[in-house]
């Protein structure tokens, strides 16, 4: 689990991000942000830069509505071409190409995971603690959490008839490397998911969004060849069972607003800004 100090640091970053979201129009300065989290401007600047890789000022740019609109316009102008459709973005900074989905059989889907052996463990990330679970075929569940018992109960509700063992395995370790080593050094990650064919199609489309880029809900609807299904797209995205690896955080409103996120809009903003900083380095 995340150390106490790391949790305190992330909580401070999250509080600063909340303040930025509420007051972005007046572009709060370093001193103002530092006061919000009860640190000196020097220590806040150092903490924020260590966490995000960029200064608070640059982070504001990466998470602003105008910046998001620029990203959306840029990609919409290209119509995504064949590169987007095949998951190839022209950059080596994608972990998406290393992630494959294997859907569960109808039987596994209907019987609540009967005959499935699921390993699970808890880990830390730059965005808070995680529960991560795997079968012999891949990651089946990953979620941000502040309560281990609640997180496990949520996992068990998805697979009520599975056999559980609290253990860290290589499948989980490979998946978590994305936070420590970046996308360029990943082994191939496999996901073993239960979902309808439509949901899995949406999740596969999300995997093609490059790190540091954003898409609108309407664009995702077009990519799954159902441009009138924006609401259904939103529902499928909202039921994403694997936080971060299936990057539903990269889908925002067409207005450039961040929009909702299962694990909180503050965390979504943090991830978007963090990824933008990593790609810009």
């Amino acid at each position: 689990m995340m150390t106490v100090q790391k949790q305190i640091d992330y909580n401070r970053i999250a509080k600063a991000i909340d303040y930025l979201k509420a007051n972005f129009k007046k572009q709060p300065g370093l001193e103002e942000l530092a006061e919000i989290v009860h640190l000196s401007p020097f220590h806040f600047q150092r903490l924020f830069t260590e966490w995000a890789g960029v200064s608070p000022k640059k982070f504001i740019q990466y998470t602003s509505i105008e910046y998001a609109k620029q990203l959306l316009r840029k990609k919409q102008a290209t119509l995504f071409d064949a590169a987007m459709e095949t998951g190839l973005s022209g950059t080596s900074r994608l972990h998406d190409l290393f992630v494959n989905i294997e859907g569960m059989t109808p039987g596994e889907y209907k019987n609540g995971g009967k005959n499935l052996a699921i390993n699970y463990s808890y880990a830390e990330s730059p965005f808070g603690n995680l529960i991560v679970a795997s079968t012999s075929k891949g990651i089946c569940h990953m979620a941000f959490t502040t309560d281990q018992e609640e997180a496990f109960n949520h996992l068990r509700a998805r697979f009520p008839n599975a056999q559980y063992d609290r253990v860290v395995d290589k499948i989980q370790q490979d998946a978590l490397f994305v936070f420590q080593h970046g996308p360029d050094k990943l082994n191939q990650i496999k996901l073993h998911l239960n979902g309808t064919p439509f949901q899995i199609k949406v999740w596969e489309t999300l995997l093609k969004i490059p790190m540091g880029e954003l898409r609108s809900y309407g664009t995702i609807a077009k990519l799954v060849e159902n441009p009138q299904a924006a609401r259904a797209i939103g529902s499928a995205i909202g039921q994403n069972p694997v936080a971060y690896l299936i990057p539903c955080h990269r889908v925002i409103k067409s207005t450039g607003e961040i929009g909702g996120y299962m694990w909180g809009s503050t965390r979504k903003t943090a991830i978007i800004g963090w990824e933008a900083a990593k790609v810009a380095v």
Side-chain angles (χ1 to χ4, degrees):
M1 291 293 287
M2 182 176 287
T3 64
V4 173
Q5 187 56 53
K6 284 186 177 180
Q7 185 66 63
I8 291 173
D9 290 345
Y10 174 71
N11 288 343
R12 283 173 166 160
I13 296 298
K15 187 174 183 179
I17 290 172
D18 269 339
Y19 188 79
L20 285 172
K21 287 168 57 182
N23 299 277
F24 70 92
K25 289 184 179 179
K26 65 177 185 178
Q27 295 289 293
L30 181 64
E31 292 77 9
E32 187 174 348
L33 290 171
E35 184 177 353
I36 292 297
V37 296
H38 309 295
L39 291 174
S40 70
F42 172 80
H43 284 98
F44 175 71
Q45 173 96 348
R46 185 178 68 179
L47 173 65
F48 198 100
T49 303
E50 285 177 354
W51 178 83
V54 293
S55 67
K57 182 177 181 180
K58 195 69 174 178
F59 187 91
I60 294 174
Q61 175 191 333
Y62 289 153
T63 56
S64 72
I65 289 178
E66 288 308 310
Y67 181 78
K69 285 181 178 178
Q70 289 175 20
L71 290 179
L72 293 177
R73 284 196 297 266
K74 176 183 175 183
K75 300 313 294 184
Q76 288 172 349
T78 67
L79 300 179
F80 301 102
D81 296 323
M84 180 62 188
E85 293 300 331
T86 58
L88 300 175
S89 70
T91 173
S92 63
R93 292 182 176 274
L94 285 180
H95 77 264
D96 313 274
L97 296 181
F98 295 88
V99 182
N100 292 324
I101 290 179
E102 177 171 339
M104 293 186 179
T105 66
E108 290 171 329
Y109 179 72
K110 291 179 180 179
N111 64 18
K114 186 178 180 181
N115 302 324
L116 277 182
I118 296 179
N119 292 336
Y120 73 98
S121 62
Y122 302 95
E124 63 180 59
S125 81
F127 316 106
N129 294 322
L130 289 162
I131 183 173
V132 56
S134 56
T135 70
S136 61
K137 294 182 179 180
I139 298 295
C140 63
H141 180 82
M142 191 157 82
F144 295 105
T145 182
T146 56
D147 185 309
Q148 289 190 3
E149 183 177 358
E150 181 181 345
F152 177 68
N153 287 337
H154 181 68
L155 167 63
R156 188 165 52 186
R158 294 189 58 236
F159 304 100
N161 300 320
Q163 301 297 313
Y164 291 94
D165 191 10
R166 182 172 175 177
V167 63
V168 179
D169 59 29
K170 188 176 185 302
I171 291 174
Q172 297 169 21
Q173 290 176 327
D174 285 345
L176 294 169
F177 277 159
V178 66
F179 296 118
Q180 299 175 11
H181 303 294
D184 296 336
K185 297 183 179 179
L186 287 182
N187 294 319
Q188 189 178 73
I189 298 172
K190 293 184 178 181
L191 306 179
H192 189 204
L193 305 181
N194 64 325
T196 66
F198 179 77
Q199 288 173 331
I200 289 179
K201 187 174 184 179
V202 171
W203 300 336
E204 287 176 334
T205 302
L206 300 184
L207 289 172
K208 297 175 184 178
I209 306 174
M211 182 176 181
E213 296 188 11
L214 304 172
R215 302 288 185 268
S216 70
Y217 291 93
T219 297
I220 299 299
K222 292 177 183 177
L223 288 172
V224 298
E225 301 177 352
N226 197 342
Q228 306 303 316
R231 181 171 296 181
I233 295 294
S235 177
I237 291 174
Q239 294 177 60
N240 170 22
V242 180
Y244 193 79
L245 294 179
I246 297 179
C248 57
H249 56 273
R250 298 176 192 162
V251 183
I252 65 172
K253 296 181 178 180
S254 58
T255 59
E257 296 173 273
I258 294 297
Y261 187 55
M262 186 187 306
W263 298 283
S265 61
T266 296
R267 183 173 278 112
K268 182 176 183 178
T269 303
I271 295 173
I272 288 173
W274 185 82
E275 288 191 335
K278 297 299 181 186
V279 170
V281 173

